[in-house]
């Protein structure tokens, strides 16, 4: 999870599935399940901090920092 969040944050909060898979060293087919698992931990109260948008994986840093009251 930490590697995924760091990769997304390092690229402005958005990466294609293929680019994220390559960065994490996993098959592209596993990315959507990884994002879904991360969403179960990080998304709540109707706010999505990590999600799929077409072929992109998106990290909304503003939502994440607000929900967990942490600094970016």
């Amino acid at each position: 999870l930490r590697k995924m969040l760091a990769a997304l944050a390092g690229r402005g909060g958005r990466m294609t599935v293929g680019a994220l898979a390559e960065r994490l060293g996993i098959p592209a087919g596993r990315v959507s399940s990884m994002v879904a698992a991360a969403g179960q931990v990080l998304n709540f109260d109707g706010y999505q901090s990590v999600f799929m948008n077409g072929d992109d994986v998106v990290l909304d840093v503003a939502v994440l920092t607000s929900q967990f009251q942490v600094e970016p």
Side-chain angles (χ1 to χ4, degrees):
L1 178 61
R2 184 183 329 182
K3 288 174 97 175
M4 181 181 77
L5 295 176
L8 288 165
R11 299 288 293 176
R14 182 178 291 263
M15 293 179 79
T16 65
V17 169
L20 183 58
E22 184 176 323
R23 183 76 174 269
L24 298 177
I26 63 172
R30 289 192 47 214
V31 171
S32 63
S33 61
M34 180 178 250
V35 172
Q40 289 180 337
V41 175
L42 300 174
N43 300 340
F44 62 92
D45 286 342
Y47 295 98
Q48 291 187 310
S49 56
V50 63
F51 56 93
M52 301 287 298
N53 183 7
D55 192 41
D56 288 343
V57 180
V58 179
L59 171 66
D60 190 330
V61 176
V63 169
L64 185 66
T65 56
S66 173
Q67 289 293 337
F68 291 96
Q69 300 176 2
V70 295
E71 294 293 322

